[in-house]
């Protein structure tokens, strides 16, 4: 039942897209309770996805990639949100 960190991050990614099974999600939550690094990865992954989804919704009918300024703004947003979750 024990997961490695590599397995946990894979399940975290799958879970983000609703592709993880119920058992995988439980295993991931147990692993995150014991592993701070994977907990941080999970938080960062969620923040990054939210930022991307907001940007994608905003630009849905415009350009299909981020310009340098948008990338920098997203990076700053990630740093700010990550620092507030610690």
């Amino acid at each position: 039942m024990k997961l490695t960190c590599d397995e946990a991050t894979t399940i975290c990614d799958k879970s983000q897209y609703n592709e993880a099974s119920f058992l995988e999600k439980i295993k991931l939550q147990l692993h995150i309770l014991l592993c701070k690094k994977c907990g941080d990865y999970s938080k960062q992954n969620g923040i990054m996805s939210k930022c991307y989804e907001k940007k994608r919704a905003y630009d849905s009918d415009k350009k299909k990639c981020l310009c340098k300024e948008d990338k920098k703004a997203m990076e700053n947003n990630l740093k700010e949100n990550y620092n507030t979750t610690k």
Side-chain angles (χ1 to χ4, degrees), residues 3-12 28 31 35 37-38 41:
L3 291 178
T4 65
C5 291
D6 286 336
E7 292 169 329
T9 56
T10 300
I11 294 171
C12 180
L28 175 62
H31 182 86
C35 181
K37 288 181 182 179
C38 288
Y41 176 84

Side-chain angles (χ1 to χ4, degrees), residues 1-3 23 26-27 30:
M1 177 110 167
K2 186 175 178 181
L3 291 178
L23 183 58
I26 290 174
K27 288 179 182 180
L30 290 173

